[in-house]
Amino acid sequence: QVQLVESGGDLVQPGGSLRLSCAASGSIFSIDAMGWYRQAPGKQRELVARIASDGSTNYADSVKGRFTISRDNAKNTVYLQMSSLKPEDTAVYYCHVGVIYSGGGYTAYWGQGTQVTVSS
C-alpha cells in the first residue's frame, strides 16, 4: 500500500515561481521513474516532466527552460520547480510514481492533484 501526498499548488502572478512536491509513503522497496502531469480545463492530461531512476529527465516543449524536475530518493519525493509561470500553465498537477515492492511487484500511483493557478 502506497500513498502519494502532493503539495505546493497555489495562486501566483505571471512570472512567479512555485515548487510542487510529491512524497510517497508505505511499503516501498524502491522507486522507479517519477513524473508530473497536468490537466487544464477542457483538455486532456499531459506529461509535463519525467525523471528516471538514474536522474535522466525529459520535459514537454512548453516548459523547457522554465521547469525543473528533481527527486530525493532518501525521502521518496519528487519535486517540480516552476519558474517564469504563464497563465497557460494553469492546471491541476498530478504526480505519477512507479513503486517497486520488496517482493518484486510493481505498481504506478497517481497523486491526488494540486491546483496551480497563474493569473494577474
Side-chain angles (χ1 to χ4, degrees):
Q1 297 181 339
V2 173
Q3 182 181 22
L4 305 183
V5 179
E6 297 185 39
S7 63
D10 205 351
L11 170 65
V12 298
Q13 294 184 344
S17 298
L18 285 173
R19 189 172 83 154
L20 308 182
S21 64
C22 174
S25 62
S27 301
I28 299 170
F29 177 74
S30 64
I31 294 178
D32 194 16
M34 303 184 188
W36 287 96
Y37 293 72
R38 67 187 181 189
Q39 188 165 20
K43 293 186 176 293
Q44 298 297 310
R45 189 172 298 185
E46 65 175 352
L47 177 67
V48 176
R50 181 172 54 217
I51 183 166
S53 60
D54 66 357
S56 61
T57 58
N58 289 285
Y59 297 91
D61 288 341
S62 59
V63 307
K64 286 181 179 178
R66 299 188 298 118
F67 291 10
T68 301
I69 188 170
S70 61
R71 61 191 288 165
D72 185 336
N73 291 329
K75 297 180 178 180
N76 291 330
T77 299
V78 60
Y79 304 94
L80 186 68
Q81 178 65 51
M82 305 184 293
S83 300
S84 301
L85 284 162
K86 304 175 180 179
E88 52 262 45
D89 295 318
T90 295
V92 178
Y93 284 70
Y94 299 90
C95 64
H96 189 245
V97 177
V99 175
I100 300 170
Y101 303 101
S102 61
Y106 180 92
T107 304
Y109 292 87
W110 289 99
Q112 82 280 7
T114 185
Q115 176 71 50
V116 172
T117 302
V118 185
S119 177
S120 59

